[in-house]
Amino acid sequence: MRTQPNAAIRAIFSRRSVGKLIVPGPSEAELITILRAGAAAPDHKLTRPFWFVVFEGKSREEFGTVLAEALTSRLAEKGIEPTNGQVGKEQAKLMRAPLVIAVAAVRSEEISLPDQEIISAAAAAAQNMLLAATSLGYGSIWRTGEAAYDPKVKAALGIKEADFIIGFLYFGSITEGLAPEPHDPDISAIASSWEG
Ligand SMILES: Cc1cc2nc3c(=O)[nH]c(=O)nc-3n(C[C@H](O)[C@H](O)[C@H](O)COP(=O)(O)O)c2cc1C
């Protein structure tokens, strides 16, 4: 029996959400490793229901314009005009980290699966990416928010309205001294042996 947790187990427990992520972000080679980790997730019937969109540098700001316009439309439907502060905040969202990857679950045209199964596979891909980044020494956070359900945002990512944005994964370095404590979970309330 192992007495020391291996690297994968250590990454699982040390992965924590970090809201403030700074440069440097993952290098291009590390980005490929993170994407490949995502693509290595399990999926039912090998439909590969994954769609990853990478934002670095200027594309984060450009996609911010999409997010701001989408917010403006959502509020307009409710007869509300956004404040400059709301628009500015939405516009700047992807600037909160040097690297952002949008993860979507997309349907196969040939093989029909319940939504749950493509969402589960894409969520596993997202978690694989977070764990890969943790192993590489980077901080991360999985975010959704209203934009993740907005058809205009989905269209801008190149997916259909019926597909799902699983999340926007933010990656970057953690400010020295601000790394959160690793998880120390209590499983007593959520796990049990089946007794019939
Ligand atoms: C589907 C999903 C959506 C999330 N959306 C947000 C979000 O919009 N904003 C945010 O700050 N954190 C978000 N999180 C991160 C959770 O807040 C975080 O995982 C949780 O507080 C547990 O903390 P940990 O990640 O450090 O274990 C999301 C996590 C998941 C799985």
Side-chain angles (χ1 to χ4, degrees):
M1 201 173 107
R2 283 179 190 278
T3 50
Q4 293 294 320
N6 69 19
I9 302 285
R10 277 201 302 275
I12 287 168
F13 289 108
S14 61
R15 183 218 55 80
R16 296 295 316 275
S17 296
V18 179
K20 184 176 163 51
L21 295 161
I22 58 175
V23 290
S27 68
E28 287 306 297
E30 289 168 334
L31 168 60
I32 299 295
T33 300
I34 291 168
L35 292 169
R36 295 183 75 230
D43 69 318
H44 197 188
K45 297 194 180 170
L46 293 177
T47 60
R48 319 308 289 147
F50 313 130
W51 184 246
F52 309 143
V53 183
V54 175
F55 299 94
E56 293 177 285
K58 225 174 147 29
S59 70
R60 293 171 304 156
E61 206 180 330
E62 287 162 5
F63 196 73
T65 304
V66 171
L67 294 178
E69 285 171 3
L71 171 70
T72 304
S73 300
R74 288 199 301 279
L75 291 179
E77 277 167 25
K78 297 180 195 163
I80 302 168
E81 201 175 317
T83 63
N84 287 343
Q86 283 174 310
V87 172
K89 195 173 164 205
E90 205 69 11
Q91 172 82 50
K93 274 202 165 151
L94 267 53
M95 305 306 288
R96 293 177 290 186
L99 167 68
V100 181
I101 303 177
V103 175
V106 293
R107 291 165 198 289
S108 154
E109 308 231 316
E110 292 83 37
I111 301 174
S112 171
L113 283 169
D115 289 349
Q116 179 179 328
E117 301 211 355
I118 62 167
I119 293 168
S120 301
Q127 175 73 347
N128 270 8
M129 290 196 209
L130 299 181
L131 294 177
T134 306
S135 287
L136 292 166
Y138 294 98
S140 61
I141 184 166
W142 178 335
R143 296 183 189 269
T144 49
E146 285 182 23
Y149 306 94
D150 190 314
K152 288 191 174 63
V153 177
K154 290 184 184 182
L157 289 176
I159 64 171
K160 300 196 173 96
E161 191 168 345
D163 295 330
F164 302 92
I165 297 174
I166 298 300
F168 293 92
L169 309 183
Y170 290 65
F171 302 95
S173 295
I174 302 174
T175 307
E176 211 177 319
L178 293 187
E181 285 295 305
H183 276 286
D184 182 13
D186 173 10
I187 58 166
S188 57
I190 57 165
S192 64
S193 296
W194 191 67
E195 288 169 3

